[in-house]
Amino acid sequence: MLTLTDIAENPGRLTRRLTAREGRVIVFRPLAHSDVGRLAGFLGALSVESRRFSTFGGYGLAHAGELCDAIARYDKLRLVLEDVATGRIVGLFEFSLALVPSDIARYRDAGVRLTERSDCRFGPTLADDWQDRGLGTLAFPLVMDVARLLGRTRIILWSGVRADNLRAIRYYEKNGFRSVGEFAEADGSLSLDMMVDLPT
Ligand SMILES: CC(C)(COP(=O)(O)OP(=O)(O)OC[C@H]1O[C@@H](n2cnc3c(N)ncnc32)[C@H](O)[C@@H]1OP(=O)(O)O)[C@@H](O)C(=O)NCCC(=O)NCCS
């Protein structure tokens, strides 16, 4: 089983090349300390709608620096999708190896017992101009590989998915997730909890 320290010391263990539509080569790899500027470019370019669906603690250099400083220091693993032709980061896939009490309680109410031995949390964000082009689905087998290498057997959504995020719900469903229940956000809007069992 890989640890976050193993991955930081040997990012090649999780680095893969993908060929996206129109033959664009995309590298899927762990976030690196040297990514701060490019990550800030990615976050800063996210549209208002993408920021509503995938909310970050900031969208500039300071937050990008915090995410890079967090590499192998806490419970988070972040991977990026890099468009080789431009060197641009076009996606950020986030894992958390820790569970939070509110998730554990909601899933328990739905009859699912979450544990940090079996479950990890996952949240994907693609650059606006790369959404709805099949990239998220192309990368999903790699997401499952990462979770398995981390020793987990299920993936749950990090903070759920907003009920009006129809594209993301379709994306999760077509990649094997099932809805577990719904909950109200602070603003009263609804979100769904979804999870997938990893095929062995
Ligand atoms: C969610 C996300 C990761 C999905 O990745 P993606 O590469 O765009 O997804 P894909 O292109 O593989 O699949 C999208 C599916 O949704 C469908 N879709 C698109 N818009 C839709 C809509 N308004 N209603 C229903 N389905 C829709 C597409 O047709 C496609 O399904 P199909 O292959 O059956 O035709 C990406 O769109 C994204 O980063 N969105 C912004 C941030 C976000 O919402 N993150 C998730 C937070 S929970």
Side-chain angles (χ1 to χ4, degrees), residues 14 26-27 37 40 46-47 62 91 100 103 105 110 116 126 128 132-133 136 139 142 157 169 181 186 199:
L14 297 187
I26 304 290
V27 170
L46 289 173
S47 65
V100 292
D103 284 348
E116 289 186 355
L126 296 179
D128 285 78
D132 220 3
R133 291 168 63 182
L142 305 185
L157 294 186
I169 292 171

Side-chain angles (χ1 to χ4, degrees), residues 21 46 49-55 92-93 122-128 130-138 157-162 164-172 174-175:
R21 287 192 193 153
L46 289 173
E49 185 182 62
S50 290
R51 292 179 189 200
R52 192 168 71 82
F53 290 150
S54 264
T55 302
L92 176 63
F93 282 14
F122 166 69
T125 310
L126 296 179
D128 285 78
W130 278 87
Q131 293 171 17
D132 220 3
R133 291 168 63 182
L135 180 58
T137 296
L138 185 67
L157 294 186
W158 190 336
S159 303
V161 53
R162 287 184 173 267
D164 62 349
N165 191 353
L166 298 182
R167 180 173 52 223
I169 292 171
R170 166 75 191 134
Y171 165 71
Y172 293 127
K174 80 172 176 170
N175 286 292

Side-chain angles (χ1 to χ4, degrees), residues 14-25:
L14 297 187
T15 301
R16 304 283 183 274
R17 285 169 88 84
L18 296 167
T19 303
R21 287 192 193 153
E22 296 131 28
R24 298 286 282 271
V25 178

Side-chain angles (χ1 to χ4, degrees), residues 83-183:
D83 176 19
V84 168
T86 59
R88 213 183 121 208
I89 289 177
V90 298
L92 176 63
F93 282 14
E94 302 187 282
F95 287 87
S96 166
L97 302 189
L99 298 173
V100 292
S102 53
D103 284 348
I104 293 170
R106 282 200 315 275
Y107 277 80
R108 187 190 53 225
D109 292 349
V112 179
R113 184 170 165 270
L114 299 181
T115 73
E116 289 186 355
R117 272 172 17 125
S118 53
D119 298 286
C120 59
R121 297 186 291 159
F122 166 69
T125 310
L126 296 179
D128 285 78
D129 58 331
W130 278 87
Q131 293 171 17
D132 220 3
R133 291 168 63 182
L135 180 58
T137 296
L138 185 67
F140 197 71
L142 305 185
V143 168
M144 292 194 287
D145 285 347
V146 169
R148 278 193 211 97
L149 287 166
L150 293 166
R152 309 298 159 115
T153 55
R154 292 190 300 205
I155 299 175
I156 69 166
L157 294 186
W158 190 336
S159 303
V161 53
R162 287 184 173 267
D164 62 349
N165 191 353
L166 298 182
R167 180 173 52 223
I169 292 171
R170 166 75 191 134
Y171 165 71
Y172 293 127
E173 283 175 344
K174 80 172 176 170
N175 286 292
F177 283 78
R178 68 179 192 277
S179 178
V180 174
E182 55 185 37
F183 61 97

